[in-house]
Every structure is written in structure tokens, then in C-alpha cells.
Amino acid sequence: MVTTPQQLRELVAAGEWRQPTAGILDDFQQANLVIVPAAQAWDLLLFCVRNPKVCPLLAVGEPGEYLLSAGNTRFDVRSMLPRYRVWHHGELVDEPYDLKQHWRDDAVTFLLGCSHTFDGPLRRAGIPVSHQAPPVYITNIPCVTAGKIGGPMAVSMRPVHHSKIAVATGVTARYASGHGMPVHYGSPEAIGISDITAPDFGVYPGLEEGYVPVFWACGVTPQIVLPPLKPEWMCSHYPGHMLVLDDSVDFFSLQQG
Amino acid sequence: MVTTPQQLRELVAAGEWRQPTAGILDDFQQANLVIVPAAQAWDLLLFCVRNPKVCPLLAVGEPGEYLLSAGNTRFDVRSMLPRYRVWHHGELVDEPYDLKQHWRDDAVTFLLGCSHTFDGPLRRAGIPVSHQAPPVYITNIPCVTAGKIGGPMAVSMRPVHHSKIAVATGVTARYASGHGMPVHYGSPEAIGISDITAPDFGVYPGLEEGYVPVFWACGVTPQIVLPPLKPEWMCSHYPGHMLVLDDSVDFFSLQQG
């Protein structure tokens, strides 16, 4: 039983935890990862700033920096996420459990908030969510372009009983660092999702009678919009396999307000 | 009597409004300005991201772009603020009413939220504030450094009756694009302000019996931390003389959550 984020990060770094991080430590800030060469960093930073619900920035590193701080957590970005993805020229070449052999001196790390972050607050508001990694879909909602970077938003989905939709909206609106309030309720087709049972990533949890699919912006989006630009090199977390930080769910969302 | 932000911007562009923008159109998003050469833009963008309460980003331009959009407003950044400041190699060289003769092809515009933005919500919550530009002080509170950019935070001050401090905090916490909740209450000395009656910019409104000075992070900060680095060229708004956008106070603050 993992009881603290630090313990989880140590297990991960030792190769003893390779699972998703949904359903555990859900009262702590969890984070998406994207790493690009310094030459692409300006466009990506601008993309994050222009799409704050999609890419809520928690930390940005200096070129080559892999020992990073976010809030009160110091971590090695190369080894403290359970799994990674690596692209060369837009082609997925590896899905390793460690980034050390892939690291570059010009690598700029972007750490983005994750919707796992509000699973705890939703639970305490009477809206329990699945302990499996939430399903993630590529939509037809366009992101705001920055330089060459643009394209469709990825979203995560949680089924919410129709009587609880306002509560789910109100609770998640408080957590900008968890992507904030939903971007869509109801019809998946309206946002370009043709088959709700077949997510691009994660696990479809089913939709019982009376439940409505509710969609939040997702930090997997950079993994969708960057590879078509064929950057020489880029890395990310493996969807659902997040960095878990020591600060509580409220910490980062309160930084802004 | 100016009744819309568009009307104000037209008066400003025509040279017919050169005053501060505090106390007018206080239900609209107002904005600070800082413009640097493209070579300095990465460090400044990172500084804004690392100091979101000081520099809440509303828009960032492409190099040379002066017709910009922020939310639903399209504006000419060279002429639609009442007054500007221009530095060469860290030395203040001009405080013009128009930037056209100073413009450069590599100029990157940063538009940052302003605390005038929550004067309307404060007023409606029973906390009227002065119609004069609020006093702005340079403190000893350090900003988070980004590249070479670091230094002390500037703050604006509003006197609040002690019975209303919680309300003032709660109201402004909702407006990330107005710098959010205060950074300090009470003793000016505790944050390095030796004489509350002598602000660095703006007008000291007095402090009546029972009133407490309340301090919010201020978008004048880039004008404090950038010139010591002696950038070849930079521009800003003149303190208190803001861009006023067409969107209401709630619009930008709700983008994040």
C-alpha cells in the first residue's frame, strides 16, 4: 500500500511501480509530462499559455535540467514517472520505464497539471470515479495555435449521474491545475468522438442508466499535436502514468488566485 | 462620459484621453503591457509562468505583431493605451502617448492582467476603492527567477476596513486575471515599504482609522526587474494607464478554471 507521493516516486525510480496512477494518492497534484528540444520550447510554452485549460503549467525547466522542482517537490524527471514515450521525427520509437538513455542536453521539460488531481475532491463531494485510468479521446475541438503548434484537444471522460453534473462542474472549476471545469457534457458525437466505448487511451468504465459522459481537457494533447510536426526528438509520460507531487490538490490551483 | 471600452480605446488612439484608467470601466478587464525584443521573450515568458500572481498572462504576440487579440478584443498595442514608457539599455528615454515611432520588427508584446479589474467586484461587495490610480510600491518580496530575470515584486495597495478584509480576499481570489488574492495585509515595513505615504507610482489615498493597508501583486513588476538587465530596448504602459478590453471582469479569470 503506497501512502505518500514520495514513497511512490521511490518505488517508480526503483522500477517497482509501472502501473497507472489513477485511483491512488488522489488528494495530491498529479502531472503530465512533455519534453522537447530547446529549439521547440518557445512555441510549446506559448501553446501552453494560449491553452491554459489544456496545458496548466506547473513547472518549466532550463535546457538539459532533469532535477526539477515543482512546488515543494524535488524530483528526477527521467525516472520518477512510471512510464514514458519517446518520438524521433514524429515516429514513436520507444515506451520505456526510464528516460536516462534518451536524455539530451537541450531537453526542456514541461510539467502540466492532470485531472487525476480532482478525483479526491470529486470523491469527497459524493462523486466517486473509477480507480482505472480514465478514458482519453481525441476530439474535434481546436486548440489555439502557437507558431506551428495546433490541432485537436484531447479530453478525459468521467461518467457523472445527471443529478450531480452541477456539483462536478463546481468542484472541478476550483482546480485550474486539474484542467478546471469540463469542456463538454453529453453527446460524444458533438465533439467528434464516434465511439465512446473505444477510447484512444485509458479504460472505458461503462455508462450506466442515468449517467452522462462529462469531458475535461486533457494533458495528453501535446502528444497529439506535436508528433505531426516531426520534431527531431520529443518525450512524454505514457498516458495515465503520471508524476505524483507532494503538494495537496489545492496547492497549485491556489497559486493563481 | 466614457461608457464602453471601445469608445475609450478610440479616444486614446485619437490622443483625446491621456489619464489613468482607474475608476472607469471597472467591470472590464484592464491590462498591463510589457514589450521586449524577441531575444528576451523566452526568459520573460518563463518569468510570467513562474510568477502567475504577478504576471497573469492575457496575450502574447508574435515578433513584430502590433495588431493583437485578447479574448474578444482586437487592438493596436502601439496606440490604444493612454501612455507608455520606453527604455534603451535600461535607461528610461521616453514616456510617449504613442509607440509608433518606437516600434521594432522583433517586438514581442506581453499583455498582463491588472488589479483595476476587480475594482468593480469589490465595489459590488461593499468595498468601494479610490477612483485615482492605486499607489504602487516596490517591496522586498522576491519573485521567482527565470533565466536572468528576477528581483522584487511591486504591489498595489487599497485601504480596506478591518471588518471587510475577509470579503476583499474572497472576492479578489476569484479574479486570477486581476492578480488574485492579496499577498500581504497590515504592516508595510514587513514587506520592505518604509513610507506608505510615498508610493513609487500612483496616488496614496490615505488610511482612515480602522482601515488596514491590503497589498496585491502588481503588473508594474516587469518595469522594475527588467531595466537593471539593460535590455537594448523595451517598452511598457505608464503605470495606471492601462489597456481596457471589451470582456467583462469574469471572462479571463474563468478561462483557467
Side-chain angles (χ1 to χ4, degrees):
Chain A
M1 175 79 181
V2 178
T3 56
T4 71
Q6 187 182 351
Q7 187 190 3
L8 176 72
R9 293 195 305 274
E10 286 169 2
L11 286 173
V12 167
E16 291 164 24
W17 179 290
R18 293 178 164 185
Q19 304 156 242
T21 55
I24 58 156
L25 299 170
D26 67 1
D27 262 333
F28 292 92
Q29 177 71 50
Q30 299 204 14
N32 295 277
L33 175 70
V34 54
I35 311 177
V36 296
Q40 273 79 56
W42 167 262
D43 280 356
L44 182 55
L45 187 52
L46 206 50
F47 181 81
C48 294
V49 163
R50 290 181 179 173
N51 297 277
K53 280 179 71 74
V54 180
C55 298
L57 283 161
L58 303 180
V60 181
E62 306 292 337
E65 190 183 19
Y66 53 78
L67 291 174
L68 287 159
S69 294
N72 294 300
T73 311
R74 187 92 178 141
F75 58 93
D76 188 331
V77 75
R78 304 168 307 170
S79 60
M80 291 188 170
L81 286 81
R83 196 171 184 188
Y84 301 87
R85 307 178 89 195
V86 182
W87 289 259
H88 289 175
H89 302 287
E91 193 172 334
L92 189 63
V93 296
D94 199 4
E95 296 185 330
Y97 299 99
D98 190 297
L99 275 186
K100 286 179 184 163
Q101 74 276 31
H102 287 286
W103 194 255
R104 283 169 50 134
D105 287 344
D106 65 347
V108 176
T109 293
F110 291 70
L111 207 64
L112 312 174
C114 168
S115 61
H116 296 181
T117 297
F118 53 54
D119 286 351
L122 283 172
R123 174 171 48 77
R124 290 196 300 277
I127 305 173
V129 298
S130 170
H131 283 214
Q132 291 183 294
V136 170
Y137 306 89
I138 303 171
T139 70
N140 62 11
I141 304 172
C143 295
V144 181
T145 297
K148 297 195 181 79
I149 307 177
M153 185 186 300
V155 296
S156 66
M157 187 279 280
R158 289 162 183 77
V160 177
H161 190 265
H162 63 75
S163 66
K164 295 285 182 79
I165 291 179
V167 174
T169 302
V171 167
T172 58
R174 296 183 188 173
Y175 296 98
S177 69
H179 302 289
M181 68 177 76
V183 293
H184 184 69
Y185 313 92
S187 169
E189 292 76 16
I191 56 171
I193 300 169
S194 56
D195 183 357
I196 190 78
T197 69
D200 293 287
F201 307 100
V203 179
Y204 175 66
L207 262 179
E208 288 176 46
E209 179 73 19
Y211 280 73
V212 175
V214 179
F215 300 91
W216 282 267
C218 179
V220 165
T221 302
Q223 300 182 34
I224 310 305
V225 299
L226 286 173
L229 303 175
K230 302 191 190 307
E232 187 191 333
W233 173 92
M234 66 169 277
C235 304
S236 75
H237 71 292
Y238 189 95
H241 296 59
M242 320 309 286
L243 180 67
V244 184
L245 299 170
D246 293 337
D247 291 304
S248 76
V249 291
D250 295 288
F251 182 86
F252 284 99
S253 292
L254 286 173
Q255 303 293 303
Q256 311 264 337
Chain B
M1 174 82 179
V2 178
T3 56
T4 69
Q6 187 183 351
Q7 187 191 3
L8 176 72
R9 293 195 305 273
E10 286 168 3
L11 286 173
V12 168
E16 292 164 23
W17 179 289
R18 293 178 164 184
Q19 304 157 240
T21 55
I24 58 156
L25 300 170
D26 68 0
D27 262 334
F28 293 91
Q29 177 72 50
Q30 299 204 13
N32 295 276
L33 175 70
V34 53
I35 312 177
V36 296
Q40 273 79 55
W42 165 263
D43 279 356
L44 182 54
L45 187 52
L46 206 50
F47 181 82
C48 295
V49 163
R50 290 181 179 172
N51 296 278
K53 280 178 71 74
V54 180
C55 298
L57 284 161
L58 303 180
V60 181
E62 307 291 337
E65 190 182 21
Y66 52 79
L67 291 174
L68 287 159
S69 293
N72 293 300
T73 311
R74 186 93 179 139
F75 58 93
D76 187 331
V77 75
R78 304 168 306 171
S79 61
M80 291 187 170
L81 285 81
R83 197 172 185 187
Y84 301 86
R85 308 178 89 194
V86 181
W87 289 258
H88 289 175
H89 302 287
E91 194 172 332
L92 188 65
V93 295
D94 199 5
E95 296 186 329
Y97 300 98
D98 189 298
L99 275 187
K100 285 177 184 163
Q101 73 276 29
H102 288 285
W103 194 255
R104 285 169 49 136
D105 287 344
D106 64 347
V108 176
T109 292
F110 291 71
L111 206 65
L112 312 174
C114 168
S115 60
H116 296 180
T117 297
F118 53 53
D119 286 351
L122 283 173
R123 175 172 47 77
R124 289 197 300 277
I127 305 174
V129 298
S130 170
H131 283 213
Q132 292 183 294
V136 171
Y137 306 88
I138 303 170
T139 71
N140 62 12
I141 304 172
C143 294
V144 181
T145 297
K148 297 196 183 80
I149 307 176
M153 185 186 299
V155 297
S156 66
M157 189 277 281
R158 289 162 183 77
V160 178
H161 190 266
H162 63 75
S163 66
K164 295 285 183 77
I165 290 179
V167 174
T169 303
V171 167
T172 58
R174 296 183 187 172
Y175 296 98
S177 70
H179 302 289
M181 68 177 76
V183 293
H184 183 70
Y185 313 91
S187 168
E189 293 76 16
I191 55 171
I193 300 169
S194 56
D195 184 357
I196 191 79
T197 68
D200 294 286
F201 307 100
V203 180
Y204 175 66
L207 262 178
E208 287 176 47
E209 178 74 22
Y211 280 74
V212 175
V214 180
F215 300 91
W216 282 268
C218 178
V220 166
T221 302
Q223 301 182 35
I224 310 305
V225 299
L226 286 173
L229 302 175
K230 302 189 189 308
E232 186 190 336
W233 174 93
M234 67 168 277
C235 303
S236 76
H237 70 292
Y238 188 94
H241 296 59
M242 319 310 286
L243 179 67
V244 184
L245 299 170
D246 293 338
D247 291 303
S248 77
V249 290
D250 294 288
F251 182 86
F252 283 99
S253 292
L254 285 174
Q255 302 293 305
Q256 311 264 339

